[in-house]
Structure formats: structure tokens, C-alpha cells
């Protein structure tokens, strides 16, 4: 068992306990095992009879391989997460995992309410969502500003249309130089035959 398996299993089981319809969907695959391989770490999960997850001890029925460079896209758009992975093994089980993964939702307010009350939980959750929204907007703005700097102020990169225009101009210049070279050769030949 890796050090990430226990917390990952506990987190998913917590979410499944709040969404029993997803647990029922998984319980149809009781005793099946899945491996999620990111290249950096592996999670070996098995489905228990009640639809919860546990550490797998058997060989996986399905292996889901995630390229580490795709993790930011996956985290940014969980609805399309399975379009970034490669899957081998039991296709039905893999589809069920995908449906469950897309259906899992964390209700922050429900988890905070026992500690800070309903109103406090709502305010903390709203503040957290606002902070995440501002962080996303800030990172998007930073990327836009960096791109503008690299394209406009300190041109280390080119706009595609600028590069294509330059390539076209180079092609025209090359053709002109070739025509000029042929003309010079013709003039030299004419000058040599005249003497």
C-alpha cells in the first residue's frame, strides 16, 4: 500500500457515503480491482460488497493510466477527465468507474456544519469558492500577460500569422534571388560571347 492509498480511499468512501446511488452502482462490481497509474504513483483499489472502496490485493481488472502532464487539464475539467487517460481491461467496469467519478461531488457545507454551524459553513464555503475563482482568474490573467510580454514587448515568440507571413516573404525573396541569379548568369554569358 502506498502512502496515498489510505487517504484517497478514505476521501472517496466519505463522498460515496453521502451519495448512496453511486455506492449501489459500484456494488455491482464487488471484488473487482482497479489500478490507477500516474507514473509517479499507483492506487490499487478494490470494490467491497457495499460499494465502498478498499485496498486491492488481487491483480487489477482494469488499469487506468494517467500521463502526469495531463493532470492539470484533468483537475481543471473533471467532466472530461476520462478523455485524457488510457484504459485497459474490463470496459464495463471502467465505464462504471468513469460514471462514479463524474458523479462524485463534495458538499463542503455539509462537512463544515457540525463544527461551525450552518451559517458559518455557508460563509466559509462561499469564501473558499470565491478564493478559488479569484485564483483561477489570476492564473489565467498571469498567463495572458506572460503571453503578451513574450509576443509584444520582448518578442521571444511569434504569432502564428506573423510566422506564416514571414515564411511567405522568405519564399518570395528566395524566388526573386533565383531569378536574379539566372539573369546575371545570362548577362555574363551574353557579355562573354560578345567579346
Amino acid at each position: 500500500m502506498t502512502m496515498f492509498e489510505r487517504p484517497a480511499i478514505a476521501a472517496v468512501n466519505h463522498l460515496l457515503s453521502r451519495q448512496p446511488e453511486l455506492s449501489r452502482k459500484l456494488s455491482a462490481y464487488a471484488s473487482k480491482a482497479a489500478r490507477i497509474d500516474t507514473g509517479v504513483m499507483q492506487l490499487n483499489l478494490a470494490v467491497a460488497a457495499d460499494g465502498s472502496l478498499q485496498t486491492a490485493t488481487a491483480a487489477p481488472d482494469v488499469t487506468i493510466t494517467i500521463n502526469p502532464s495531463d493532470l492539470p487539464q484533468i483537475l481543471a475539467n473533471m467532466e472530461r477527465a476520462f478523455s485524457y487517460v488510457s484504459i485497459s481491461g474490463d470496459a464495463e467496469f471502467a465505464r462504471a468507474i468513469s460514471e462514479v467519478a463524474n458523479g462524485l461531488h463534495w458538499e463542503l457545507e455539509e462537512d463544515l456544519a457540525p463544527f461551525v454551524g450552518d451559517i458559518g459553513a455557508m460563509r466559509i464555503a462561499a469564501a473558499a469558492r470565491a478564493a478559488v475563482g479569484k485564483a483561477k482568474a489570476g492564473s489565467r490573467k498571469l498567463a495572458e500577460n506572460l503571453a503578451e510580454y513574450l509576443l509584444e514587448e520582448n518578442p521571444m515568440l511569434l504569432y502564428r500569422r506573423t510566422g506564416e507571413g514571414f515564411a511567405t516573404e522568405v519564399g518570395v525573396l528566395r524566388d526573386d534571388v533565383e531569378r536574379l541569379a539566372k539573369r546575371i548568369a545570362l548577362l555574363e554569358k551574353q557579355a562573354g560571347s560578345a567579346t
Side-chain angles (χ1 to χ4, degrees), residues 145-156:
N145 288 340
L146 181 61
E148 181 181 349
Y149 174 76
L150 292 173
L151 290 165
E152 301 286 342
E153 295 182 29
N154 185 10
M156 300 174 112

Side-chain angles (χ1 to χ4, degrees), residues 101-181:
N102 286 332
L104 282 177
H105 297 289
W106 182 32
E107 297 297 331
L108 179 59
E109 292 91 340
E110 286 182 30
D111 287 334
L112 289 175
F115 303 105
V116 296
D118 290 342
I119 293 172
M122 289 173 55
R123 289 184 178 164
I124 291 170
R129 287 186 186 105
V132 167
K134 286 183 182 194
K136 283 183 179 178
S139 65
R140 185 173 45 250
K141 194 68 176 161
L142 175 65
E144 291 170 0
N145 288 340
L146 181 61
E148 181 181 349
Y149 174 76
L150 292 173
L151 290 165
E152 301 286 342
E153 295 182 29
N154 185 10
M156 300 174 112
L157 302 174
L158 288 176
Y159 286 108
R160 172 179 243 154
R161 65 182 178 274
T162 304
E164 289 171 351
F166 179 73
T168 301
E169 290 172 8
V170 167
V172 169
L173 181 61
R174 183 196 64 232
D175 293 344
D176 290 346
V177 167
E178 286 178 10
R179 277 194 299 276
L180 181 61

